[in-house]
Amino acid sequence: MFNKILIANRGEIACRVAATARRLGVRTVAVYSDADASAKHVAACDESVHIGGSAPKDSYLQWERIIAAAKATGAQAIHPGYGFLSENEAFADACAANGLVFIGPSAASIQAMGLKAESKRLMEQAGVPLVPGYHGEDQDPAMLKHEADRIGYPVLIKASAGGGGKGMRAVEKAEDFAAALASCQREARNSFGSDAVLIEKYVQRPRHIEIQVFGDTHGNCVYLFERDCSVQRRHQKVLEEAPAPGMTPELRQQMGLAAVAAAKAVNYVGAGTVEFIVEQPGGYDHPEQMRFYFMEMNTRLQVEHPVTEAITGLDLVEWQLRVASGEPLPLKQDELKFHGHAIEARICAENPDNQFLPATGRLAVYRKPGHASFERSTVRFDDGVREGDAISPFYDSMVAKLIVHGATRAEALARLDAALTQTHIVGLATNVQFLRHVVVSESFAQARLDTALIPREAAVLFQQDRVGRELAVAAAVAQTLVHEKAGETPDPFSRTDGWRPFGLTKRRFDFEYQGEALTAQLAYLHDGALHLSVGEVAGPLSFTALPAESGTRIDLQFHGRRQTVQTWQFGETVHLFCDLGAAVITELDALAHAGETAAEGGRLTAPMPGKVVSFAVKAGDAVKKGQPLAVMEAMKMEHTIAAPADGTVAELLFAPGDQVTEGAELLKLQSA
Ligand code: ADP
Ligand code: ADP
Ligand code: MG
C-alpha cells in the first residue's frame, strides 16, 4: 500500500477519497485553486498545494503543476477522482514517466475507450451489442445528414469526445438536423476541444443500466452488479439506484459478462463502468424482454459508485488503492454478493423550475439529514462543502450526494424522502424539493423507469407549492411574534402565543409569497388566543416555538391542521421547511413598496455569471416573445436567453466571448 497519495480533484470526490485513505493510514495531499483556498477538501487532507487560478484550465487541469506538487510532497500515486484529468491519457502517461502511479487504468485503456466512436468500433469487434448508428471518421455535414436519414429519426448526435451529458442533441426530424449538428459541434469544441460527432438511433423509452467492473494487474476482472441511472435531466443523472428494478438474474449475468468482455478487450485495470442503453419493448411490466446495447465505458470511478458500495458493503476506493499498489482484487466473482436496495440523489445548486439553470451563491443554511454519516450507514451524505461556503460558477453544480440503503426498494424510498425532508439549504436555489417530488411520483415509486420519467411526470414535479400560502403565512406570522418576543425583556407571564393584556387588537401583515402580494389579519382575542385570516381562510392560530440550532422549530396549528415547521429568518424573509415541502415568504413593508413600479421593462440580464457564446439577433431586429436572443455558457452548459415579450432589439451590449457577471444587461429590447 502507498504511504502518501495526491488527490487531483476537488469537492465531494476529493473528500471521499481522502476518507478512505485516512482509514487505511495513507497520507493525503490536496491541490487547490484560488477559489478553493479554504475548501473542505483542503481541510480533509494532510497537506495541500496551491496550483493556480479558479478556472479549471488554470488549476485542476494544469497537470504539470499537479505532477510537480506530487513530487515535491513525496506522494507516490495520484488519484484523479472523476472529471478533470481522470480520463486524460496524456496525464496517465505523464504520471508514469515521472515515477508516479496513476490510480486508474493504463493510458492505452483510457485512449481506447476515450472516444465514443472509436470505442464502439472496438466493442463491435469484441462482440458487445451496439445501438444502430454511424461512428465513422468522415465528418462531412452532408454525409452525416445522409447517415442520420439512413438510420431513421429520431436520432441522437453525440460529441465523440463527450461526457457528463454535454455535447448531445436529439433530432426529431430531418429539417432540424443541420442546426442541431452545428450546436452540438460548438458545444463539443468548447467543452472537449474536438467537434467530431457520432450518430445513433434514438432509443425510445430506454433505461440506462450500467455495470461496475473492476480489473487488476494479475489478469482478473469482475463485475459488481448494476446501477439503474434512468432518471435523468438533460441526459444527466439525477437519481441512481442498485440493483436495477425488474432485473432478472439471467440478464444481470449477461450484462455483467458483456461488461467484463468490454473491459478485457482493453486490458482494463481498476474501477470502470460500462454503460448500456436498455430497450424495453415489452414495457415496464415485462423486464424479461429488455435488450441492452453498449453506450460507452467510463474509465474512472463514477459519481454514483456509493450505491454499489451500499449493496455490496465494499469500499471501492479501497479497491482502487489496493489494485493500483499491485495487489490482486480482494474478491472473486462468486464471492461477490449484494443485499437490499440503495438509491442516490444528486443535490445540485440549480433551479428545476427554470430549466435547471445552475445557481451560484453562498450556503447561508446547510443542514444535512440527522444520523447521516459517511460509512456503513443507512443514510450517507457525501459532500465537499460546509455551511457558509460559496458555490461558484467555476465548477460543477453538484453540492452533495445523499445515499440511502434499505432492505427493500420501498424502505430505501421512504428513507430517501425522509432524509431529503431534513436537508435544509438556504442561500441559493437547489433541487432538493424537486428530488422529493420525483421520489414520491407514481412513476418512480412504481419503478416505471426510463429516461423520459422527468418529462412524463412534469405535472407533479415542477412549479409545485405543496406548503400552501395559508401555512406559509401562519408560519411567518408565528415567526414574527417569536422574534418580537425574543427582543423583549424576560417576563414571567410571557407567553409565545401572542397574548396581549388589552383585549382585542388587530394587526395587519403584508407578505409576498410566490410572486404574489398577500394580506393577513391577525386578531388578539380577549382570552389571549389568536385568530388569523388569510384571504378566504380564517381560524384560530396557536403555536409553540423552540430555538433549534440557528433556526426556529415552530409547532403550528392553524385551520385545523398541525405541522412542525423549521424556519430560518434573514431580514424580512422567512425560509421554512416542513414535511409538506419548503417555502419562502417575505414580509413587505407596505410604505416602502408603495411607489415601486412593477416591471423593469426592456432589460435583459444574464441569469448567472458566464460567457456570451453568441447572439441570435442584431440591433434593429424585430423579435417575438420566446424567440432565442443569445446563448450563454456557464457551469459547462449552454443556456439560451429568450425574448420575454415581442419587441425590437435596440442594442447589443456585449460581444461573443465576453465574460459577464450575474445581472449584467446583455442587450436592450424595446417593447412592441
Ligand atoms: P458519472 O458518469 O460518473 O455518473 P457524470 O458523467 O454525470 O457522472 O458526471 C461526471 C462529469 O462531471 C465529468 O465527466 C465532468 O464533466 C464533470 N466533472 C468534472 N469535474 C467534476 C467534479 N470535481 N465534480 C463534479 N463533476 C465534475
Ligand atoms: P455521457 O458521456 O454524457 O454520459 P452517454 O453516451 O453515456 O453520454 O449517454 C448519456 C445519456 O443519454 C444516457 O444515459 C441516455 O439517457 C441518453 N442516451 C444515450 N444514447 C442514447 C440513445 N441511443 N438513445 C436514447 N437515449 C440515449
Ligand atoms: Mg455516459
Side-chain angles (χ1 to χ4, degrees):
M1 185 48 70
F2 309 111
N3 295 319
K4 192 190 266 191
I5 62 169
L6 180 143
I7 304 171
N9 213 303
R10 62 177 305 279
E12 69 87 16
I13 193 62
C15 297
R16 160 74 193 89
V17 172
T20 291
R22 174 155 312 213
R23 187 169 61 71
L24 298 178
V26 176
R27 298 186 65 77
T28 50
V29 180
V31 290
Y32 64 93
S33 66
D34 289 346
D36 283 339
S38 57
K40 184 173 171 180
H41 81 273
V42 174
C45 293
D46 298 308
E47 290 171 66
S48 58
V49 180
H50 175 248
I51 49 165
S54 300
K57 66 170 176 34
D58 299 328
S59 48
Y60 299 105
L61 294 174
Q62 283 285 341
W63 52 268
E64 295 88 346
R65 287 185 210 161
I66 292 174
I67 286 177
K71 289 166 87 171
T73 54
Q76 298 150 302
I78 298 186
H79 194 303
Y82 52 72
F84 297 139
L85 296 169
S86 62
E87 295 180 277
N88 183 319
E89 66 263 22
F91 179 64
D93 257 343
C95 287
N98 284 278
L100 297 161
V101 176
F102 175 78
I103 302 173
S106 68
S109 308
I110 298 176
Q111 186 169 27
M113 289 296 188
L115 294 174
K116 282 182 203 280
E118 266 165 48
S119 69
K120 285 191 182 180
R121 291 196 281 269
L122 202 69
M123 291 302 108
E124 204 160 28
Q125 286 161 24
V128 180
L130 294 186
V131 192
Y134 170 79
H135 28 84
E137 267 158 29
D138 190 345
Q139 295 285 312
D140 173 50
M143 201 279 318
L144 292 172
K145 166 77 167 46
H146 177 76
E147 285 296 325
D149 294 345
R150 179 186 60 80
I151 296 162
Y153 295 89
V155 298
L156 196 62
I157 310 175
K158 290 185 184 179
S160 188
K166 282 138 228 154
M168 215 179 312
R169 295 290 183 283
V171 187
E172 293 294 329
K173 45 190 194 312
E175 304 88 279
D176 301 341
F177 186 84
L181 177 65
S183 146
C184 181
Q185 287 172 325
R186 186 171 58 223
E187 192 171 310
R189 232 180 352 256
N190 284 342
S191 306
F192 314 112
S194 151
D195 61 7
V197 300
L198 63 93
I199 299 168
E200 268 177 16
K201 180 174 177 49
Y202 193 93
V203 181
Q204 308 279 343
R205 296 187 166 260
R207 281 168 73 173
H208 172 122
I209 301 181
E210 58 186 33
I211 305 284
Q212 175 72 54
V213 294
F214 236 105
D216 66 16
T217 51
H218 305 269
N220 303 305
C221 187
V222 298
Y223 62 91
L224 287 86
F225 317 111
E226 77 279 6
R227 294 182 286 256
D228 189 310
C229 313
S230 301
V231 182
Q232 303 179 343
R233 54 117 175 99
R234 293 180 159 183
H235 303 301
Q236 288 177 332
K237 299 157 186 169
V238 173
L239 290 168
E240 301 108 336
E241 58 185 303
M247 176 61 85
T248 61
E250 295 73 32
L251 185 61
R252 173 173 295 124
Q253 191 185 32
Q254 277 175 34
M255 291 180 73
L257 294 177
V260 167
K264 283 195 162 159
V266 297
N267 300 313
Y268 200 79
V269 171
T273 295
V274 182
E275 297 188 327
F276 294 101
I277 187 110
V278 177
E279 220 172 3
Q280 10 188 25
Y284 310 110
D285 300 328
H286 290 282
E288 76 286 354
Q289 293 179 25
M290 292 196 289
R291 280 202 296 263
F292 64 94
Y293 306 104
F294 173 85
M295 217 166 12
E296 64 164 347
M297 179 168 187
N298 293 327
T299 53
R300 53 172 160 91
L301 190 68
Q302 202 100 332
V303 172
E304 58 274 22
H305 74 277
V307 293
T308 300
E309 296 186 321
I311 62 162
T312 59
L314 301 171
D315 179 335
L316 298 193
V317 174
E318 177 181 344
W319 277 41
Q320 286 190 297
L321 297 180
R322 293 199 182 287
V323 164
S325 63
E327 294 179 33
L329 291 176
L331 295 173
K332 299 197 167 39
Q333 189 66 56
D334 58 11
E335 295 169 321
L336 286 161
K337 301 272 177 300
F338 68 90
H339 71 281
H341 199 96
I343 312 178
E344 172 179 282
R346 296 190 189 197
I347 297 176
C348 297
E350 64 186 18
N351 184 354
D353 289 338
N354 187 8
Q355 294 163 59
F356 299 99
L357 190 71
T360 55
R362 206 160 282 283
L363 296 163
V365 172
Y366 179 65
R367 297 302 154 105
K368 312 175 195 189
H371 313 297
S373 73
F374 172 60
E375 270 180 307
R376 308 276 182 272
S377 161
T378 55
V379 180
R380 168 173 164 183
F381 202 87
D382 282 19
D383 64 8
V385 290
R386 295 157 301 204
E387 193 165 271
D389 283 354
I391 302 296
S392 74
F394 301 110
Y395 313 112
D396 203 88
S397 61
M398 192 171 80
V399 175
K401 308 186 305 202
L402 171 58
I403 306 101
V404 297
H405 185 237
T408 59
R409 187 173 191 268
E411 195 177 304
L413 264 172
R415 204 159 265 155
L416 180 55
D417 186 45
L420 285 167
T421 307
Q422 294 167 23
T423 304
H424 298 171
I425 301 176
V426 175
L428 39 71
T430 73
N431 64 344
V432 173
Q433 297 305 316
F434 170 79
L435 288 169
R436 288 191 65 198
H437 303 156
V438 178
V439 167
V440 302
S441 71
E442 189 149 318
S443 291
F444 192 71
Q446 311 278 326
R448 300 172 78 83
L449 303 175
D450 64 70
T451 61
L453 186 145
I454 288 177
R456 185 169 68 247
E457 290 279 7
V460 296
L461 301 183
F462 299 105
Q463 309 288 351
Q464 298 292 298
D465 173 18
R466 302 205 179 176
V467 172
R469 60 185 201 163
E470 287 78 22
L471 181 65
V473 166
V477 167
Q479 170 69 32
T480 301
L481 299 182
V482 171
H483 203 72
E484 288 172 355
K485 198 76 198 166
E488 288 176 10
T489 46
D491 167 357
F493 300 105
S494 78
R495 289 163 54 172
T496 51
D497 60 3
W499 177 80
R500 282 287 188 290
F502 304 118
L504 182 133
T505 52
K506 275 199 167 162
R507 206 170 153 179
R508 177 185 155 147
F509 292 86
D510 290 291
F511 292 109
E512 185 189 312
Y513 183 64
Q514 306 243 321
E516 224 187 294
L518 282 178
T519 297
Q521 295 282 353
L522 180 72
Y524 298 92
L525 305 183
H526 60 278
D527 60 354
L530 297 171
H531 189 270
L532 181 69
S533 50
V534 189
E536 309 290 286
V537 173
L541 168 71
S542 66
F543 60 90
T544 55
L546 282 175
E549 295 181 69
S550 63
T552 310
R553 217 185 95 118
I554 304 178
D555 210 345
L556 202 65
Q557 285 196 53
F558 177 56
H559 206 239
R561 288 173 74 178
R562 218 189 119 229
Q563 272 289 322
T564 300
V565 182
Q566 181 90 25
T567 58
W568 271 274
Q569 186 169 1
F570 290 87
E572 307 299 288
T573 300
V574 176
H575 296 260
L576 58 98
F577 298 87
C578 62
D579 242 8
L580 298 168
V584 183
I585 179 162
T586 302
E587 191 175 349
L588 297 176
D589 178 338
L591 290 175
H593 290 263
E596 211 170 81
T597 53
E600 262 199 286
R603 274 172 64 84
L604 261 166
T605 55
M608 54 192 315
K611 192 171 84 183
V612 177
V613 175
S614 61
F615 282 101
V617 292
K618 54 185 188 326
D621 284 0
V623 296
K624 290 252 163 272
K625 180 176 175 177
Q627 182 177 333
L629 301 177
V631 177
M632 273 190 66
E633 188 197 275
M635 292 179 112
K636 299 184 282 174
M637 304 235 279
E638 283 193 0
H639 306 278
T640 302
I641 318 270
D646 293 359
T648 310
V649 177
E651 192 185 352
L652 303 183
L653 300 168
F654 286 96
D658 286 351
Q659 288 287 340
V660 295
T661 55
E662 182 175 341
E665 193 170 3
L666 297 175
L667 52 97
K668 281 197 197 299
L669 195 65
Q670 234 138 38
S671 322

